[in-house]
Amino acid sequence: LVRAPAVILQSRMDTSDPSADAATVEYWNRWTSIPAVRNGRVLVFDGTSSLRAGPRVADAVELLAQALHPELPA
């Protein structure tokens, strides 16, 4: 809370159900004093590519870059 993050990144590997991402964001919504929560910048990523070492890490980097900077060309 003290650092007041502009973006919160959460990576998940516990489910492939897309509705779980919404539940994760909903969990964070209790802390409206955090700028990332207040501005809708809680980002949930599939941990399959972002948490496992391997060639898909590059895919995760691209997804992260696009999520943080949607104004940039894909």
Side-chain angles (χ1 to χ4, degrees), residues 49-65:
S49 60
S50 62
L51 296 176
R52 291 184 181 162
R56 290 185 289 179
V57 169
D59 295 336
V61 171
E62 287 180 359
L63 288 171
L64 178 60

Side-chain angles (χ1 to χ4, degrees), residues 10-36:
Q10 183 161 342
S11 191
R12 302 180 55 125
M13 287 181 52
D14 59 339
T15 181
S16 60
D17 180 4
S19 66
D21 291 353
T24 299
V25 172
E26 184 62 33
Y27 170 81
W28 282 101
N29 283 341
R30 67 183 79 192
W31 293 291
T32 56
S33 63
I34 300 173

Side-chain angles (χ1 to χ4, degrees), residues 33-59:
S33 63
I34 300 173
V37 174
R38 192 171 49 248
N39 298 321
R41 300 282 289 162
V42 176
L43 309 174
V44 182
F45 288 90
D46 175 16
T48 304
S49 60
S50 62
L51 296 176
R52 291 184 181 162
R56 290 185 289 179
V57 169
D59 295 336

